[in-house]
Structure formats: C-alpha cells, structure tokens
Amino acid sequence: MSEVVSYRRVDDIGVLVINNPPVNALSHAVREGLLVALEQGLADDQARALVIIGGGRTFPAGADIKEFGQAPKSPSLPEVIDRIEAADKLIIAAVHGTALGGGMEITLGCDYRVARADARMGLPEVHLGLLPGAGGTQRLPRLIGAKAALEMIVEGKPAKAAKLYEAGILDDIIDGDLEAGALAFARKLADDNAPARPLCQRAVSAVKDSLFADFRAGIEKKKRGFLAPFHCIEAVRAAVERDFDAGVACERELFAELLSSPESAAQRHVFFAEREVAKVPGRAKDTPKRDIQQVGIIGAGTMGGGIAMNFLSAGIPVTMVEMKQEALDRGVSLIRKNYEATAKKERMTSEQVEKAMAKLSTTLSYDDLGDADLIIEAVFESMKVKKQVFAELDRVAKKSAILATNTSTLDVDEIANATSRPQDVVGMHFFSPANVMKLLENVRGKATADDVAATVMDLSRRIGKVGVMVGVCHGFVGNRILHKRQEQAVQLVNEGATPDQVDRVLHDFGLPMGPFAMADLAGLDVGWRIREDIRENDPDNAPERNWMDALAEAERWGQKTGAGVFEYAEGDRTPRRSEVAHAEIEAYRAAQNISPRDIDDTEILERCLYVMVNEGARILEEGIAARALDIDIVWIYGYGFPVYRGGLMFWADQVGLSTILERIRSFHVETGAEVWKPAPLLERLVAENSRFADL
Ligand code: T1G
C-alpha cells in the first residue's frame, strides 16, 4: 500500500483516499498509488462501486508542477485516468477544496462527479503556459460542449459548485459530510444499476463553423504574446474534428510543445516566485505578528481611497482622515463610485457594496485614530508634509500601532525618525489604482521591528495583494528601476528616436504600454515635481533639464490634460503623435547641438531593458531586494512586465548574462555614463557562468 493513496471499503463501496499535503498534487507516488488502489478496489468483490476522494484540505489541485522539466515517470496521469475510465465498476469523484488541472481531469475520467457546495473546479494550466494534458481538452467538450469547454480552458478560471452543477459537470452537490454523501450517492447508483458513462465514447455536439476562428479573434488582443491560449484552441478543435484517440494524440503533441517552451518555463517560475516572495529570507516562519482589526488612512485622495477599499473589501473597518470636509466627501463618493462600477460588472453584489461601505468612517481629527492598529499615510509626496503627518501620528496612535507611509520614492528612515517610535514605522507602497493593482511593496526601514515587517507581509495576502519586502533607497525596487528605464527612453529620443518608436518597441516586447504613454498616464507633472524636489533638496544629483520638463511646465501633463508627450482625443486614451512634443524635442536637440541619428529597434530594446537589468543587479548587491525573484514579482505585478517572460531577472537569465554584460560594457565605453557601469554582481555571475536564479 502506498503512503499517499489508501484503499478501504465502507460496507459495499470502495474508497480511494489521496493524501499528499498540502494540495494532493498528483506526483509520481500519487499516480502509482492510485493505480494500485484502483486495482485493489476493482478486485474487491464486495465493492459495488468506487469513490475517489481527497484527504486534507482539497481534492488534487493538479499535476505536481515541481516534476515538470524532469524525466517523465510512468504511470503518467493519462495512463491512470484511462484506467479509471475503462474500469468495470462505477467510479465517482467526490470533490472538496479545489479540483484543478489534472485533478479535474481525474474527475472527467470518472463516471459521476459530486462535490461540496464550497468546492471549485477548473483547468488553470493556461496560467502555467500549458494546456490540460491528461485528456481534459477531449473529455470536457464531450461533457459540456466545445464552446463552454473552450471558455473554461482558455480562461483557466475555476468555477464554483453551483455553476458546475448547472453546466452538467457535477451530478450532485453534497451538504454535510462529503464522504458520507458520496457513499450514499454511489450506493443509489449501484442500486439503480446506473450506467457507466465513459466520456471517451461520447460524441461532441455540433458547433458553429466559425467557433474557433471567432474565439481566436476574440482573444488575440488580450492574450497577445502568450502561446498556450492558442494551443488550447487547437486542442479543443481536435476534439470536434477528430475521434477521441486522434484528439488525445493531438493534445499530447501540443502539450509537449508547450512544456518545452520558454513561455511555460517563465510562467511556472512566476507561479513559484509569487509564493516564495511571501517567505522573507532570515525571517522565522513563526515570527509574531500584530493583530490588525482596525485601520486608519490619512488622505482621501485617489490613493487613500483605493487603499481604503482593499481593507473594506477584506472586512476590516477603516477610519479616513482629511483636512477639509469636502475632501472627505469627495473621497467617500469616489469609493462608492468604484464599488458600484464593480457591482455593475457583477463582480460584487450590492449587498457586498453596502457591507463594505458600512465599515468606512470619516473624520477631520487625528484624535479619532487612537484605536487604530495600523495607520497608513497617503498624502502629498513631500518630505516636509510627511514628517508633519508622522509627528502627529506619533502623538495620537496607540502604543502597539503600526505607522505606515505610502510614499513611492521618499526615505522611509527619515520619515520614521520624525517619530519617537521608528521601530513601528514601515513603508507600504501601493500601486495606482490601489484597489486594483496586485503589488504591495513593503519597505523595511533600518529600525523597523521584525513583527511589524511580518505583519505587513501577512496583511498583504489578507487584502488580496502580493506583498514583496524591499529595503530603503530612492524609489525602492520598482520605481528605482523604472527611473533608469525612463531616463534611457528620454536619452534615446534626445539622440534621434521618436517617443512613438520607443513605445512601439516596448509594447511589442509585451509591456502593456511604452515609457511615454506610461508617463502620460501617471502624469508628466508627477515626474516633474519629483525631479524639481531633487533639484531643490539634492542639487548634487539634480537631473538635467529636458524636453519632458518643458512639456510639464507648459501644463501638458498627459491624459489628465488631454495632451502630454502624445495627444488624446476627448474620452479616448489612445496616444496619438503630437507635433507640439516633437517640436519641443527638436528645440531641445538644437539647444544641445545634437544631430539626431537613426536608431534601430534592437538598440532601443537593449538600452531600455539592459539598463534595468544592471540596476536590478545593483539592487541585489545592496540587499534592497533579497532575491532576483522579488524583482521579477515587483515588475510583473507593479508594471505589467509580461508574465510569459518570467519577470525582468528571469528574462535576463534566458537572454544570457554574458550577452547582456557585453552590450552594457559597449554602452559604457560609448557613453562613459555611470548608469552603464557594469554592476559587479553581473560581472561576477558571468565570470562564474552563473545566473541570477542561482543566487
Ligand atoms: N504542484 C506542486 N506544488 C503545488 C501545486 C501543484 N500543482 N499547487 C500548489 N502547490 C504548492 C505551492 O507551491 C505551495 O508550496 C503550497 O502548495 C500551497 O499552495 C496534466 C498539466 C491549489 C488554489 O495550476 O492554484 O495539472 O509555498 O500557497 O493559496 O493537465 O496552490 O507552501 O512550499 O498556492 O491555498 C494545474 C496550482 C497544474 C493549481 C491553493 N494546477 N495551485 O492555493 O496555497 S498543471 C494548478 C494553485 C496540470 C495536467 C496539468 C493553488 C491552490 P509552498 P498555495 P493556496
């Protein structure tokens, strides 16, 4: 008997229990154990039917992703499922938790499926750059039709039991004890001589000729750069156009292509990196955390409101503070407007909106924050203003409170030293729009206490964010790297490229938008004020004045003023070429005696991305980020770096660090610019023939 799969009989029904914590991943041992237990059940004369059920918190949540890339071991999952389907006894899958990927495919090999009401099932392989490779693309269309199967497989979103029952995937929903309910269900089937229902013998119902072409056209824009969604379409098409065995062979082939693709390697890296970032090196798993039951937020502007929504949606009461009543009223109505927009898209019910809004209270007095466990400051990005706010918080906040700043660039240590309790101060850098963007850069100051750091990391997950712990420096991890790229982008335009060309190259690479469309979205005034702040407070590092400053000073602030580097038509966010901006650029070149040259796309891509990699290496050297995967997750969830490239540092490893170093060295020789001085870490890794991933 295997350790991970057991067989026993309960009166006249055999039960196969899979127990491979934490998520019953279908590792080699589980597959082997399943076959052994299955044969035992089939050979058990007193067992009239068999139930497959998961132990612990869930039915199998898929193949063991850690085994991908290793030499395949038999039995494969398709072999196990084919054996289940060919069995001469009825087999019922009893689902709780999340039956995902190969787990759901096992249920499709069974004759009947039942589940608890809170169970979910789905085929999320596409998020790993794969497709359901154990018959799911052939059996699901036979069960629910090709169109519904296509949506489920290409979107990869799990569905709730009620929806699954409606769709005909589930045969019953079990209230109370799942095993008891499944046994009763199996017994009734046996009593009624219910038929076996092997899906492999069922035909796929007819579809519209244009189904696959229409579906492909419908996802082209949204799935730009991904490989797997389009392979999924071809696999489901095979289910319609070929017989079962030929369809399975086609699925196998497409799966093998994806499994060896760089896109899937990248997406699998991101799957594990997203979980690894929560485990901060050097922090014990059992580090105590502070109890966060009430939150205060200073500032009811766009950021303050968005931040508040995260806590309200997680059921945590929020007190919002502002200087003036109209600012408070504006903040509250913006929050309600955002919630109602979400409800309109049926992503929330109106009851949920009212429940969240009921947890929001407002005040004009800091004194009402005396009970808050965490207070987040989201005021104007000025050191002077932030220090005043923190001095006030120091006066009113209770002893155990955590004081957090939402600054996106400023020195968290300097802010902390404006209080008598720097150990309770931490940065919580949300990204705009704060109620949508998944990333939360948690900034640990020199004095920040362990329990404070552990608390904000834990809280990140509680409010639906991916928290990454970073150190203090100008711009932390995300914006520090962004600034280098933006500088390079402006430099390329100074030398002869156009903003349109630079944006096209980075958009084609897979970023949601180019540097200049992004600057226009964020607001040219934001970057300009930060540069002005440095020019005023740190003249030694004052950035050179350029055409972007000229545009900002002309109040061309981007989308919010209808014009910036690009022009924007009323109500349209599409960036269009701007003759005014081009004139500013030419004027700047003339003033600097620059004769513009032709710059090709390769140079643009290399300069914009390699400067980021070099800065990433410096950030790792300084310990501002603990691992390369922290930088990957920051750039994927904060700046839309394409997930099918795995993040900035993973991508650099794929390109090859020696290739990147060679180009960086030549840019350094050509320009002599400090920014192109190769990071010692990069040079060391190349010398050792290592990668960022090996650190
Ligand atoms: N394989 C290996 N490890 C897994 C795993 C898996 N499928 N799923 C989770 N883990 C680990 C995870 O790394 C973490 O480890 C721990 O379990 C808890 O996970 C042939 C090709 C199930 C919804 O894509 O979506 O089947 O960090 O922190 O938030 O067609 O995990 O503790 O060391 O995420 O409660 C398809 C992936 C595989 C589902 C639970 N299946 N998993 O979420 O916990 S491909 C998936 C999830 C496949 C077949 C194909 C989630 C979850 P550690 P967690 P959670």
Side-chain angles (χ1 to χ4, degrees), residues 296-308 320-322 366 375-382 385-386 389-390 393 404-408 428 430 434:
I297 295 183
I298 315 296
T302 316
M303 284 309 285
I307 295 170
M320 212 149 64
V321 181
E322 258 293 357
Y366 276 68
I375 305 171
I376 305 175
E377 157 278 311
V379 301
F380 191 60
E381 191 73 347
S382 142
V385 175
K386 296 209 187 262
V389 169
F390 272 75
L393 293 180
T405 169
N406 179 52
T407 179
S408 57
M428 291 180 80
F430 289 80

Side-chain angles (χ1 to χ4, degrees), residues 35 38-39 42 78-88 91:
L35 270 190
L38 189 61
E39 296 310 337
L42 294 175
E79 286 170 71
V80 174
I81 296 175
D82 289 350
R83 184 72 192 90
I84 291 171
E85 191 170 53
D88 57 6
I91 303 193

Side-chain angles (χ1 to χ4, degrees), residues 21-23 25-26 57-58 61-68 77-78 98 100-103 105 120 122-125 127-128 130-136 255 271-272 275-276 279 285 461:
V23 296
L26 298 159
R57 66 179 179 156
T58 181
D64 188 334
I65 306 168
K66 294 194 183 82
E67 289 185 354
F68 290 144
L77 190 54
T98 50
L100 303 174
E105 289 173 297
R120 292 180 303 139
L123 297 169
E125 286 86 343
H127 301 308
L128 298 167
L130 298 169
L131 54 74
F255 181 81
F271 175 84
F272 288 115
R275 284 152 182 81
E276 273 315 291
K279 305 165 197 163
K285 235 183 174 178
R461 200 180 163 121

Side-chain angles (χ1 to χ4, degrees), residues 361-392:
S361 46
T362 59
T363 178
L364 297 174
S365 165
Y366 276 68
D367 296 320
D368 292 334
L369 296 175
D371 295 333
D373 304 301
L374 164 69
I375 305 171
I376 305 175
E377 157 278 311
V379 301
F380 191 60
E381 191 73 347
S382 142
M383 184 54 86
K384 197 154 137 269
V385 175
K386 296 209 187 262
K387 283 182 172 176
Q388 286 162 351
V389 169
F390 272 75
E392 201 45 13

Side-chain angles (χ1 to χ4, degrees), residues 347-367:
R347 280 199 237 128
M348 266 178 105
T349 64
S350 51
E351 290 75 36
Q352 287 170 322
V353 172
E354 293 317 320
K355 201 162 159 233
M357 290 305 291
K359 293 198 181 306
L360 176 63
S361 46
T362 59
T363 178
L364 297 174
S365 165
Y366 276 68
D367 296 320

